[in-house]
Amino acid sequence: MRSTPTPAVPRRGRRSVLAATGLVAALALTATACGGSTADSASDQAEAAASQAADAAAGDGKIQLPAELADKLKEHGIDLDQWKDGAWKNWDKDQWLSEAKDFVNPVIEGLWKPDRMQSAKEANKTVTTQDASADQGVSEPEPAPVRATAEKTPYHENAAPVGKVFFDTPDGPAVCSGTVVKDVNHPGKSNLVWTAGHCVHAGKSGGWYRNLVFVPAYNDLGKSEAQLGNATATEIAPYGNWWADWASTSNEWIQGGSDTGGAGAAYDYAVLHVSPEAGAKSLEETTGALDVDFSAPPASEVATMGAWGYPAAPPYNGLQMFKCLDRPGRLSLSPALPTMYRIGCTMTGGSSGGGWFRVVNGETTLVSNTSIGPQDNTWLAGPQLGAGAESVYQHMSKTYGGR
């Protein structure tokens, strides 16, 4: 997937009449709408999560999961206690579940400690120059690089719905970005997180990743690696950890996704349904949430898109949130595939799955997510979200939303 110079990555995630501050202000406003933007509420949530984790540690350490999930694991010959004790590290082909219906993600208390989060590597998809120029008749000229700018801290006041998605792969802990989105079938009570397909499933060569967890507003104060050594649980995860109890991505990604995105890149999106470590509040009530726009507006009709995420590959280290604003253009990887959005942006791997937003009539909506980018990290591309993406979202909402 990494390839020759000038090339593109599932990851990290022009100038316009909409000022950059307008997009930022709208995102911040949405984030505070459900009362999840005060330092006190963020602190209370984290302390509650830490308390429950402590209580669990004082117990028998058993994995806690619904009976239906236990039954599903048994169907595949997976013993819960063995899974907790390390059987999840077995990535043999016959143990690596890949079918859409086979996602399992038992909670393992205490697995994602701060140091393990910091060790997670970026999950990126880099395409070659040849792949990126496969359909130049449709693709628009490569955009000029737009330097990513740091989001203001504390994140819980400026971009609370944006966070990091941690998961395990055969190569070790990995990380992407994600965004809390509204659940149209459960207004005000959403537990849905939007990210990239390659952040939850390996594509045609593998299966579902494991131990998926979402951490909204990660490293709330944007502290450096040295400063994080003394950071409190509230500062690292102001709203706690939210384990995915279900994930869904496109069949096109499962069947065609590859190290460079492949035929699945144009369908590289996913939705997680998550549950809190503590408390009864939904994720939306905790952080706020954003609407998803499934109209797939043509790039030519959008003045500005903004991509948010936590880039982790050099020169970044995954500890701070960044954003890029640019006028989108079109990228076509093949005449047989839908075109993708493309913007100039210097964010690197780790920002994969991060939301792309636009503002219409003062409302901020999610219109894409970071999927692929070039090896020289000068631009990002994301899928258009049309009927296929809406189908994945509606299935997740109707089947698992409200739980």
Side-chain angles (χ1 to χ4, degrees):
M1 298 222 308
R2 287 272 179 190
S3 72
T4 53
T6 333
V9 172
R11 46 162 177 265
R12 320 97 36 197
R14 257 144 161 132
R15 314 125 196 62
S16 88
V17 294
L18 284 175
T21 53
L23 188 58
V24 176
L27 179 59
L29 178 62
T30 305
T32 63
C34 296
S37 66
T38 67
D40 287 344
S41 63
S43 176
D44 292 345
Q45 179 77 11
E47 288 173 1
S51 174
Q52 175 164 313
D55 293 342
D60 60 9
K62 297 287 187 181
I63 298 176
Q64 301 174 7
L65 75 170
E68 62 192 55
L69 180 53
D71 292 340
K72 181 177 291 187
L73 287 171
K74 289 180 180 177
E75 286 178 18
H76 294 284
I78 298 173
D79 180 88
L80 288 183
D81 288 332
Q82 291 178 3
W83 185 271
K84 177 199 69 173
D85 291 335
W88 65 264
K89 298 176 183 178
N90 180 0
W91 296 94
D92 290 346
K93 194 68 176 178
D94 61 343
Q95 293 293 315
W96 196 2
L97 306 182
S98 61
E99 296 295 322
K101 62 181 176 58
D102 288 340
F103 176 81
V104 292
N105 196 50
V107 174
I108 301 178
E109 295 287 356
L111 178 67
W112 287 108
K113 297 185 186 314
D115 57 345
R116 195 167 192 270
M117 289 181 179
Q118 290 184 52
S119 73
K121 302 300 181 184
E122 70 278 2
N124 66 343
K125 295 283 179 279
T126 304
V127 301
T128 66
T129 304
Q130 181 178 358
D131 290 338
S133 59
D135 192 18
Q136 285 298 307
V138 174
S139 293
E140 291 171 341
E142 184 173 318
V146 172
R147 185 180 181 85
T149 57
E151 179 56 274
K152 295 178 181 178
T153 58
Y155 299 145
H156 76 261
E157 289 185 356
N158 295 287
V162 179
K164 300 187 76 168
V165 177
F166 294 96
F167 52 99
D168 277 297
T169 78
D171 297 322
V175 64
C176 280
S177 300
T179 308
V180 185
V181 295
K182 293 182 179 181
D183 184 340
V184 294
N185 296 301
H186 304 90
K189 301 283 188 178
S190 177
N191 282 308
L192 303 182
V193 175
W194 195 276
T195 188
H198 75 265
C199 299
V200 303
H201 194 287
K204 63 182 179 181
S205 64
W208 292 103
Y209 294 132
R210 298 169 180 170
N211 304 323
L212 276 79
V213 66
F214 177 65
V215 182
Y218 173 81
N219 189 17
D220 193 31
L221 300 179
K223 289 190 171 183
S224 67
E225 185 173 3
Q227 292 171 325
L228 277 181
N230 298 317
T232 65
T234 303
E235 291 170 340
I236 295 172
Y239 301 111
N241 298 341
W242 296 69
W243 277 75
D245 47 30
W246 195 259
S248 185
T249 186
S250 67
N251 287 327
E252 290 87 350
W253 176 260
I254 291 176
Q255 297 167 8
S258 73
D259 286 348
T260 57
Y267 308 92
D268 185 16
Y269 44 75
V271 185
L272 306 177
H273 182 275
V274 300
S275 297
E277 283 187 332
K281 278 189 175 182
S282 68
L283 186 54
E284 180 177 1
E285 291 172 298
T286 304
T287 68
L290 296 165
D291 281 314
V292 184
D293 180 359
F294 293 108
S295 68
S300 60
E301 296 181 7
V302 181
T304 296
M305 283 187 185
W308 265 251
Y310 284 82
Y316 308 96
N317 61 9
L319 298 181
Q320 285 84 34
M321 188 189 303
F322 285 81
K323 58 182 180 284
C324 290
L325 303 177
D326 198 12
R327 174 182 289 278
R330 294 177 301 169
L331 172 67
S332 177
L333 299 177
S334 165
L337 296 172
T339 58
M340 302 176 72
Y341 298 121
R342 178 164 63 171
I343 62 172
C345 185
T346 60
M347 284 199 287
T348 61
S351 60
S352 283
W356 290 29
F357 312 104
R358 68 183 295 217
V359 177
V360 177
N361 298 325
E363 294 293 324
T364 301
T365 58
L366 186 146
V367 291
S368 186
N369 57 263
T370 296
S371 173
I372 58 175
Q375 202 171 49
D376 59 358
N377 304 314
T378 56
W379 52 263
L380 299 175
Q384 293 191 18
L385 305 182
E390 186 171 17
S391 177
V392 169
Y393 167 86
Q394 286 286 359
H395 171 73
M396 181 66 74
S397 169
K398 293 177 179 179
T399 308
Y400 301 99
R403 294 192 180 187

